Amino acid sequence: MIESLPPHARAAYDRLMTSCSELEAARTRALNTDLKAQLGTRHVTAELLARLASSPRASAAMTRFADRVASGECSWERIELQASPLPPEVDELKGDPQIDWPAEWPTQNTEDEVGTQPYRIPWE
């Protein structure tokens, strides 16, 4: 059947067969990929959280907190304390063994926040 192809169709047939072989090679590579392989630990940064918040799939809580960060009302380092409700992305990142959540987060209260806290008497 291939021998009976007209010359103008032969070039299209050859391109089609080349594409099919490339597709088969890509499929074989995909099937041989180990999805459980450790790719290394990724560190959470303010830039990563901002990029997650700008994603079209970001939760409403994440985008609201990003708006607050952009306005200067709060910072990404304090998302666990200042986000209400806590975005589901934070729980997912903290639960992933390949993600390193910074140990120093949340950061300590800043001086302007100390004034908004009620005075507490330290008991001995």
Side-chain angles (χ1 to χ4, degrees):
M1 176 179 151
I2 299 171
E3 295 80 23
S4 64
L5 283 176
H8 67 279
R10 182 71 181 172
Y13 175 80
D14 289 341
R15 283 195 314 269
L16 177 65
M17 295 312 294
T18 300
S19 295
C20 288
S21 65
E22 289 172 0
L23 181 61
E24 180 62 29
R27 178 182 176 273
T28 302
R29 282 193 309 272
L31 288 174
N32 292 334
T33 301
D34 183 13
L35 298 177
K36 302 282 185 189
Q38 295 289 330
L39 298 175
T41 303
R42 300 198 64 172
H43 301 283
V44 174
T45 61
E47 293 79 20
L48 174 67
L49 293 176
R51 204 172 28 181
L52 283 174
S54 67
S55 166
R57 294 185 175 195
S59 67
M62 189 71 153
T63 54
R64 275 195 307 273
F65 194 78
D67 293 340
R68 291 176 59 197
V69 169
S71 71
E73 182 182 338
C74 51
S75 67
W76 287 113
E77 293 83 10
R78 298 187 45 81
I79 189 169
E80 295 175 273
L81 298 176
Q82 294 177 331
S84 179
L86 188 64
E89 291 90 343
V90 172
D91 290 330
E92 291 173 16
L93 288 171
K94 290 183 85 173
D96 190 335
Q98 292 183 339
I99 301 291
D100 179 34
W101 189 266
E104 66 273 6
W105 284 11
T107 56
Q108 297 298 320
N109 286 341
T110 59
E111 292 177 17
D112 58 324
E113 289 177 329
V114 172
T116 63
Q117 299 292 324
Y119 180 75
R120 298 188 186 271
I121 300 172
W123 297 98
E124 294 182 23

